[in-house]
Amino acid sequence: MIDKLISIAQGAINHLFDKTSSLLSKIISEHGTSSFELPDTAYGIPLIYALEGIKITTVEEIKDFMNKIQQLDSQTLSYLYLAEIYLTLQYIRGEEPEKHDKGQYYGFLGDTVQRTLGVQLVDGRIPAVAVLIGKANYDNISKIVKELQEKKILTFLIGSIAEDFVTNSDKTGFEVYVVPVGTKIEQTVYVIDWAVRSSLIFGGQIPGQKDAILEYVRNRVNAFACVFGKINESAVATALSAIYFGIPVISDQDLPELKISEIADYLLLTSEKNYEKTVKKALETRGLKIVVEKPPIPVSYGPAFEGERIRKEDTFIEFGGQRTPSFEWVRMKNISEIEDGKTEIIGTEWKSRYEKGGQMPLGIVVNVAGKKMHKDFEPVIERQIHSFINEAEGLWHIGQRDINWIRISKMAKEAGISLEHLGVILASMVKARFKSIVDKVEVYLYVDEKDVLTLKDEARKEYKERDQRLAKLTDEDIDTFYSCLLCQSFAPKHVCVITPERPGLCGAFTWLDARAAYEIEPTGGNQPVEKGELIDPIYGRYSGVDSYVKKHSGGEIETINLYSIMENPMTSCGCFECIIAVTPEANGVMIVNRGYNGMTPIGMKFSTIAGMIGGGVQVPGFMGVGVNYITSRKFLKGDGGIKRIVWMPKELKERIRESFQKRAQEEEVPDLFEKIADETVCEDVECLVDFLARVNHPALQLDSIIK
């Protein structure tokens, strides 16, 4: 069977080789053999770089590699490399990504979005990746896509079905888990090289170690493909490409089942003609069991809907957003004070006011109680109100505390969403997601302006007391830190240590979050780390942390310093929010955030630096961190603290302006913020040094950062 498929695929390989060679000749005649760069990647032409260890950055190098393709033993790799080169050449000519007047094709999938989704891929919020390829009835495919969204599966669309979605749906993009890649079947390689890049970004795999990378993708990337419509030579070649990486293929055509035991223990090629059973068959084939938590509401529910935007013209009713008084408040109560599962709306004529639509005041009070509940967990649960509401299709939430803003769409109202359902969602999901610490929960929704204003004042007092209590919490105050091992599913050597003054590098976990997560799931990815003996108070080295890190990195990392970038810094997985990098000429450090695509003063972009430090390795002089660590009192304490910061992108500076200026005051450098350069000042180190001298930056007076 496999030999027959390979024989069929050979026709597609020959055709693609001729097509690519012709396009390459045109580009050489038009543009010469100059350098090029695919958007937002540090890996040249990524699949070739990963598997062959050859980083291609010029047209001349493409020409040289084309001569090697015909000598490859693997026809599958020949097809994939040709597809990747062909699409790269189209990028050089400006023909990729494809254009559509009604929406967006994504084309090449960059490193930034992969790192952004990293946390969701490892913590289960995105349990799998689906690739839908080919042509089928839009109604059938849209039902399949909706089911995948409800199961939290990230879905890539390729072929006619991608065009159908761009044309007919305004709900596409990574934020809603539905990504139209493009209309050409060759673009399947974008998804395959996206999967392969995860081995470099998160797994610390070395380019050129083909077997190790293949094993990584086959064992750690939960993916499957569904191919619709007529099977031709290109479809066969594409299916074989997926199978090569252990990705099962489900077709709506008659096909004999195929299992290749040396690649996977599950079926790799099978068919399912009933579209209502496609997703079920795909999950069974891949061996995935996905349990979906859904409150009893009349619309779809899941993280895929969290990125949905509700425009003003699509809004039925809204609350807060400076339009009406609003707030949300989680309060811990005694168990005897709570009626479990109760949801009550308090206000006059609220039903008629809701049915009228428009705007209403809204105060959300969630009372919780439990034997393991701590008052410090209130803000942890409160922050999740954002996700709990947003995960309902047609509901939209931004902000928190007393600056929240909620919208209910006309579509959701027509589907039957009522005001009571806001309470039902919160009561159901708080109990479901925090079941280990919350035994009882009740929700009150206040809709009269007088009540909302009175309770908002009470809530503000509690917010302030809570902030003051938590702001005083230091690493010295507690005996236990927490680890985050979630990313070890992708980065086996990485161990993140989270302290009150050093949040997780992904930005998703504070010490309180990790503590709550441990209470919720004692065997989960967040585990207690006994501090042990304080070995070095300046660098932040503890004997208990060293022991824990050595054990859980498999002996790869023997010691880490929590407050230093130069001496045994903490490892990085790949989904860090920012990178700190030493800039020796400036005697300081620069910080660049994920999403900034410009050049930095050390001569590398974010993606290039990220490619050097991910995968759980220690790289003195470079370190991945969360944004909030920048304004921590323990920020690079062993290396000079915030006085070392000499450059940041403008967007990052503005994001942390208020908290940074407060820290600068504490460090007696009140004008430091204005002395930190950004890309509007310079992007090269010579200009940076001139600027720092001109403004008398304090880093220039510190001891040398290189010792």
Side-chain angles (χ1 to χ4, degrees):
M1 174 60 188
I2 190 70
D3 291 338
K4 183 178 180 181
L5 291 175
I6 291 173
S7 176
I8 295 171
Q10 186 61 53
I13 295 170
N14 294 338
H15 176 69
L16 185 55
F17 184 88
D18 292 341
K19 187 165 64 169
T20 305
S21 298
S22 175
L23 184 56
L24 177 60
S25 297
K26 287 182 181 178
I27 286 177
I28 291 174
S29 65
E30 294 170 356
H31 304 282
T33 55
S34 59
S35 61
F36 65 88
E37 189 176 71
L38 284 171
D40 188 28
T41 185
Y43 302 109
I45 302 181
L47 194 64
I48 295 170
Y49 178 54
L51 299 185
E52 302 296 333
I54 300 171
K55 192 170 186 179
I56 297 174
T57 58
T58 69
V59 175
E60 181 67 33
E61 290 167 344
I62 291 178
K63 182 181 177 182
D64 292 341
F65 191 80
M66 282 287 290
N67 295 327
K68 298 177 183 179
I69 287 180
Q70 293 177 307
Q71 302 166 14
L72 291 174
D73 294 332
S74 169
Q75 287 175 298
T76 298
L77 287 184
S78 296
Y79 177 77
L80 286 172
Y81 293 163
L82 284 169
E84 195 174 33
I85 290 172
Y86 175 70
L87 294 168
T88 298
L89 295 174
Q90 290 201 312
Y91 259 104
I92 293 172
R93 295 195 86 197
E95 296 170 356
E96 276 279 315
E98 295 174 286
K99 307 295 189 296
H100 194 292
D101 57 3
K102 288 189 176 181
Q104 177 183 5
Y105 293 115
Y106 282 77
F108 180 80
L109 307 168
D111 297 350
T112 297
V113 72
Q114 192 157 12
R115 295 180 190 280
T116 302
L117 293 174
V119 180
Q120 298 177 58
L121 288 164
V122 302
D123 69 8
R125 278 178 288 167
I126 300 178
V129 173
V131 191
L132 307 188
I133 308 168
K135 181 177 183 179
N137 178 272
Y138 174 73
D139 290 337
N140 289 331
I141 296 298
S142 62
K143 289 175 184 176
I144 290 172
V145 168
K146 178 64 72 66
E147 186 176 354
L148 291 168
Q149 285 180 299
E150 290 177 341
K151 294 185 183 301
K152 308 181 290 185
I153 295 172
L154 176 62
T155 303
F156 295 102
L157 307 176
I158 296 167
S160 294
I161 57 178
E163 183 176 9
D164 289 343
F165 264 79
V166 171
T167 303
N168 298 301
S169 175
D170 61 354
K171 297 178 181 178
T172 61
F174 281 97
E175 64 276 8
V176 294
Y177 290 27
V178 181
V179 182
V181 178
T183 65
K184 300 187 284 284
I185 195 167
E186 292 91 352
Q187 290 162 326
T188 307
V189 75
Y190 287 148
V191 184
I192 291 175
D193 87 28
W194 198 73
V196 167
R197 258 180 292 157
S198 68
S199 70
L200 306 180
I201 289 174
F202 301 111
Q205 301 295 325
I206 306 300
Q209 295 184 347
K210 188 182 303 180
D211 291 342
I213 291 172
L214 285 172
E215 182 181 3
Y216 181 98
V217 174
R218 290 167 181 172
N219 294 332
R220 296 182 181 273
V221 180
N222 289 329
F224 58 84
C226 299
V227 181
F228 303 96
K230 184 179 178 181
I231 302 293
N232 56 24
E233 290 178 342
S234 295
V236 171
T238 300
L240 286 175
S241 300
I243 289 170
Y244 183 79
F245 288 94
I247 299 170
V249 177
I250 296 86
S251 171
D252 61 352
Q253 306 295 305
D254 286 318
L255 290 172
E257 291 186 341
L258 176 66
K259 179 176 180 178
I260 305 177
S261 58
E262 62 266 27
I263 293 180
D265 293 328
Y266 45 81
L267 287 171
L268 285 166
L269 183 62
T270 187
S271 62
E272 179 55 69
K273 292 185 175 183
N274 186 339
Y275 295 116
E276 293 181 358
K277 296 181 180 179
T278 298
V279 175
K280 182 174 182 291
K281 185 64 171 282
L283 295 178
E284 289 175 349
T285 302
R286 191 62 173 87
L288 297 173
K289 295 180 181 179
I290 299 175
V291 178
V292 178
E293 296 170 338
K294 184 181 186 299
I297 57 175
V299 294
S300 296
Y301 192 86
F305 304 104
E306 192 172 352
E308 182 182 13
R309 297 289 180 265
I310 299 176
R311 302 183 182 93
K312 182 178 180 180
E313 59 269 23
D314 298 322
T315 300
F316 166 68
I317 195 167
E318 61 184 340
F319 314 90
Q322 307 302 315
R323 289 154 171 78
T324 65
S326 68
F327 71 93
E328 52 199 34
W329 183 16
V330 171
R331 304 185 300 188
M332 188 177 81
K333 295 282 188 178
N334 293 324
I335 287 181
S336 60
E337 297 179 275
I338 290 181
E339 182 180 340
D340 190 32
K342 179 180 181 181
T343 295
E344 184 177 348
I345 301 172
I346 300 173
T348 56
E349 300 180 354
W350 64 265
K351 285 187 178 180
S352 60
R353 291 161 61 195
Y354 174 80
E355 290 298 326
K356 183 180 177 182
Q359 299 173 349
M360 284 179 71
L362 182 65
I364 300 173
V365 178
V366 181
N367 293 328
V368 296
K371 294 177 182 178
K372 293 186 176 181
M373 180 67 193
H374 298 283
K375 193 160 183 64
D376 286 344
F377 292 164
E378 287 177 343
V380 176
I381 299 174
E382 198 171 87
R383 283 199 302 274
Q384 292 305 308
I385 290 176
H386 172 79
S387 293
F388 294 158
I389 292 176
N390 264 331
E391 288 185 17
E393 186 181 21
L395 274 64
W396 178 79
H397 177 287
I398 62 171
Q400 59 180 320
R401 292 187 171 184
D402 59 344
I403 57 169
N404 60 342
W405 186 7
I406 299 170
R407 278 178 170 174
I408 296 175
S409 72
K410 294 173 183 176
M411 178 277 294
K413 174 62 170 60
E414 291 170 3
I417 283 288
S418 65
L419 189 56
E420 294 103 316
H421 284 123
L422 282 178
V424 169
I425 290 169
L426 296 177
S428 300
M429 298 313 295
V430 168
K431 193 77 173 287
R433 303 254 176 110
F434 294 95
K435 55 181 176 289
S436 296
I437 59 175
V438 174
D439 299 323
K440 288 185 176 182
V441 59
E442 62 183 11
V443 180
Y444 293 92
L445 304 177
Y446 295 85
V447 295
D448 285 351
E449 185 167 326
K450 182 179 178 181
D451 291 340
V452 174
L453 290 171
T454 299
L455 284 165
K456 183 161 73 168
D457 286 340
E458 291 183 33
R460 281 174 168 170
K461 292 176 184 177
E462 177 60 28
Y463 300 152
K464 186 175 181 180
E465 290 175 8
R466 184 193 289 167
D467 289 345
Q468 290 174 342
R469 184 172 69 251
L470 298 181
K472 294 176 182 177
L473 191 63
T474 68
D475 290 358
E476 291 76 18
D477 291 333
I478 47 95
D479 297 322
T480 305
F481 297 151
Y482 285 90
S483 67
C484 182
L485 303 176
L486 290 171
C487 288
Q488 285 201 339
S489 60
F490 278 127
K493 295 183 292 185
H494 172 60
V495 180
C496 193
V497 178
I498 301 171
T499 81
E501 297 182 271
R502 170 136 194 194
L505 55 84
C506 65
F509 285 91
T510 65
W511 182 80
L512 280 179
D513 294 324
R515 179 184 171 196
Y518 173 69
E519 294 287 350
I520 293 166
E521 190 177 356
T523 60
N526 298 112
Q527 294 293 310
V529 180
E530 296 301 323
K531 288 165 56 176
E533 177 189 354
L534 176 59
I535 299 173
D536 192 322
I538 303 300
Y539 284 99
R541 184 182 175 196
Y542 295 86
S543 63
V545 172
D546 281 353
S547 297
Y548 186 93
V549 169
K550 184 174 181 178
K551 177 181 178 182
H552 290 275
S553 67
E556 293 284 338
I557 308 297
E558 296 204 358
T559 183
I560 65 168
N561 291 316
L562 296 172
Y563 316 141
S564 176
I565 191 175
M566 297 303 300
E567 299 289 334
N568 298 312
M570 197 162 77
T571 60
S572 302
C573 54
C575 46
F576 32 75
E577 290 188 299
C578 301
I579 299 171
I580 310 173
V582 167
T583 311
E585 299 91 338
N587 200 37
V589 300
M590 52 149 264
I591 307 175
V592 57
N593 57 299
R594 185 176 62 215
Y596 176 72
N597 294 321
M599 186 55 69
T600 70
I602 64 171
M604 292 184 282
K605 295 183 178 181
F606 177 95
S607 56
T608 302
I609 309 170
M612 296 165 44
I613 70 172
V617 296
Q618 278 182 315
V619 185
F622 297 88
M623 186 166 61
V625 298
V627 170
N628 289 337
Y629 178 55
I630 300 170
T631 52
S632 165
R633 292 183 180 88
K634 294 297 195 296
F635 175 81
L636 300 191
K637 180 182 176 183
D639 305 315
I642 63 169
K643 294 178 184 178
R644 289 288 188 188
I645 302 174
V646 297
W647 188 92
M648 281 189 283
K650 187 176 182 63
E651 183 273 331
L652 178 60
K653 283 184 68 177
E654 292 304 317
R655 180 175 171 184
I656 65 172
R657 174 189 285 270
E658 184 177 347
S659 55
F660 187 91
Q661 289 184 323
K662 181 180 178 181
R663 280 288 300 122
Q665 290 280 355
E666 293 172 352
E667 293 294 322
E668 299 181 348
V669 280
D671 56 351
L672 178 60
F673 186 86
E674 301 303 330
K675 292 182 176 182
I676 295 173
D678 58 41
E679 72 276 18
T680 66
V681 174
C682 60
E683 289 185 334
D684 64 89
V685 73
E686 292 82 6
C687 176
L688 173 62
V689 171
D690 288 344
F691 172 80
L692 299 178
R694 200 161 59 247
V695 299
N696 193 28
H697 193 289
L700 301 179
Q701 278 75 54
L702 296 176
D703 293 339
S704 174
I705 196 169
I706 305 294
K707 298 177 182 178

